[in-house]
Amino acid sequence: IGKAGGNASAGNAASVLYNTLTGLLGKPETIEIRNEGKPTVAIFVGPTGVGKTTTLAKIAADFTLNSKKSVALITADTYRIAAVEQLKIYAEILGIPITVIYSPDEIQDAVNEFNNKDLVLIDTAGRSFKDKLQFDELKTLVSAASADEVYLVLSTVTSMQNCVEILKNYNFLKDYKLIFTKIDEAPAAGIILNVKCLTSKSLSYITNGQNVPDDIEVANI
């Protein structure tokens, strides 16, 4: 606020604060559909319970209903049967195909199956870094998918201490964008700025409720 001068009005101070935050947060980057005769492939990773599956369904619905793009879903979250069934229901409602895979070896065949689509979205299971075998399987899956875009999904109700631990364990990702969920449940959204500054990764989407496809928007302040 000092940048606005000692006699700055509240309006000027607010403007400076807004511009400063905008500069720190940067321009959000969302999914871009390629026009090269093959689909854009996006994979979603993150700890369990942050809302990956619902977020993926919202994005699928938005591209299907609003952007009129052809979308397909792949889920590797076979550890949670409810998550698979949830995504199958969304796929049926939207009239889009879905494939379930059971090992990283199957991911490329699954992606190739949808070569005629505009967008392929891959859901993954939340993995505890404390279970080395499961976490290594996630690493193998991400590598084998060779996705165009990787999205790390985090919840705004997660403590900063836990977020730091999560980020440390997902540092195997070569590059990724950030999605923040449960904005409507968080007392404050400062964690978004903190994680953005800590990772220097681009923000993408935020979600603010459970309604599909409505409760998702681009991460603008």
Side-chain angles (χ1 to χ4, degrees):
I1 294 176
K3 292 180 181 178
N7 297 319
S9 67
N12 286 340
S15 178
V16 170
L17 180 58
Y18 176 84
N19 290 335
T20 300
L21 286 174
T22 301
L24 289 172
L25 291 173
K27 183 179 179 180
E29 296 182 10
T30 56
I31 294 175
E32 291 188 12
I33 302 296
R34 69 169 78 200
N35 295 307
E36 302 172 5
K38 63 179 183 176
T40 295
V41 180
I43 189 168
F44 297 76
V45 301
T48 188
V50 297
K52 287 190 301 299
T53 302
T54 304
T55 299
L56 184 145
K58 291 174 182 177
I59 292 172
D62 179 57
F63 275 95
T64 301
L65 302 175
N66 299 326
S67 299
K68 308 302 180 185
K69 299 297 183 181
S70 59
V71 179
L73 307 178
I74 297 172
T75 179
D77 191 358
T78 53
Y79 286 81
R80 292 193 309 133
I81 300 302
V84 174
E85 293 306 313
Q86 179 188 14
L87 207 53
K88 283 183 175 179
I89 290 170
Y90 285 130
E92 183 177 355
I93 292 170
L94 293 169
I96 61 178
I98 181 171
T99 290
V100 182
I101 65 167
Y102 297 90
S103 76
D105 295 340
E106 301 174 41
I107 187 65
Q108 270 305 317
D109 285 342
V111 170
N112 291 338
E113 179 186 347
F114 299 127
N115 263 341
N116 62 331
K117 301 299 180 182
D118 296 313
L119 178 63
V120 178
L121 304 175
I122 304 172
D123 193 20
T124 66
R127 288 286 186 264
S128 171
F129 62 90
K130 295 178 181 178
D131 188 323
K132 187 176 185 304
L133 184 62
Q134 284 191 0
F135 209 72
D136 283 348
E137 183 181 53
L138 174 64
K139 292 179 181 179
T140 302
L141 176 65
V142 172
S143 176
S146 298
D148 300 294
E149 301 185 14
V150 179
Y151 290 87
L152 178 59
V153 185
L154 300 171
S155 168
T156 51
V157 298
T158 305
S159 71
M160 192 60 214
Q161 181 179 356
N162 286 344
C163 258
V164 170
E165 189 72 11
I166 291 166
L167 293 170
K168 183 173 69 175
N169 287 286
Y170 278 89
N171 65 6
F172 69 90
L173 299 173
K174 293 180 180 178
D175 196 16
Y176 59 88
K177 299 173 187 175
L178 294 162
I179 293 178
F180 285 92
T181 63
K182 305 184 182 182
I183 293 287
D184 55 312
E185 299 178 26
I191 193 170
I192 295 176
L193 178 60
N194 289 338
V195 171
K196 164 64 180 176
C197 292
L198 190 63
T199 63
S200 298
K201 301 301 182 183
S202 295
L203 299 178
S204 187
Y205 301 96
I206 58 172
T207 73
N208 53 6
Q210 295 297 311
N211 294 321
V212 177
D214 298 326
D215 295 336
I216 188 168
E217 57 190 71
V218 178
N220 288 314
I221 65 167

